[in-house]
Amino acid sequence: MKALTMMLWLTALLVVVQGEETFQVVFPSGVAATGQLMTQSETLAKPSVAAPSLSATGSDQYTIMMWDPDAPSPESATCRSWLHWMIVDATGSHLTGGETKVEYAPPTPPIGVHNYHVALYKQTASMSYYRAPASRCQFHPAAFASSHGLEMVAETTFRVSA
């Protein structure tokens, strides 16, 4: 089991929340493994996202969201769940296409170590109608998912220090 866990860690396939899906968040600098501490420079460029074992049909659509629950600081998260990125209507296991609703903003924690969540949600219908929130501050991922009929199928969390 330890050998399998190490192998999964190295290939970043140990990113499962629900079901049997694997979920990969890959920055140009490397894969964001669950719990990994990364530098700001490693997360500067927008990552690619894939779910290789996703049993998606041609009509399945997905939403990808990234947020920071520790903004602006872990001790005083007055801007909790700052929205860093959102794509809707992505399709297939490589989560291609889709429409960017919130452009990628790289992690730039001003103080401390922040946790960054990247989650994959299965949609029940197209989200092309959705307009980006007026503010990235105090975005509520769970409430957003619930109000739009989204089901979380995978998530990973990595950390970045100031």
Side-chain angles (χ1 to χ4, degrees):
M1 184 65 173
K2 284 186 178 186
L4 176 60
T5 300
M6 180 59 114
M7 184 178 85
L8 291 173
W9 174 266
L10 293 173
T11 60
L13 296 178
L14 185 61
V15 189
V16 179
V17 168
Q18 298 175 4
E20 299 298 321
E21 311 300 349
T22 58
F23 184 50
Q24 299 173 325
V25 178
V26 184
F27 290 92
S29 62
V31 176
T34 298
Q36 178 180 356
L37 181 61
M38 301 181 77
T39 65
Q40 290 182 36
S41 62
E42 289 174 320
T43 60
L44 189 58
K46 177 174 63 175
S48 62
V49 179
S53 68
L54 193 66
S55 52
T57 67
S59 62
D60 288 341
Q61 294 178 307
Y62 296 88
T63 293
I64 301 160
M65 288 190 279
M66 178 177 158
W67 68 92
D68 172 5
D70 301 319
S73 75
E75 293 76 29
S76 179
T78 57
C79 205
R80 184 174 303 281
S81 297
W82 198 86
L83 184 61
H84 279 264
W85 189 32
M86 181 188 289
I87 296 174
V88 301
D89 297 344
T91 59
S93 62
H94 293 288
L95 303 168
T96 57
E99 182 179 348
T100 300
K101 294 294 185 173
V102 177
E103 291 292 332
Y104 179 74
T108 56
I111 189 168
V113 175
H114 288 225
N115 294 288
Y116 292 86
H117 297 261
V118 182
L120 178 65
Y121 297 85
K122 187 171 184 180
Q123 298 173 199
T124 56
S126 174
M127 295 279 294
S128 62
Y129 66 87
Y130 175 71
R131 294 201 191 306
S135 172
R136 293 176 185 241
C137 181
Q138 295 183 345
F139 181 75
H140 300 282
F144 176 84
S146 177
S147 67
H148 293 285
L150 304 178
E151 175 192 355
M152 184 187 287
V153 293
E155 178 183 31
T156 190
T157 302
F158 60 92
R159 301 173 302 137
V160 178
S161 61

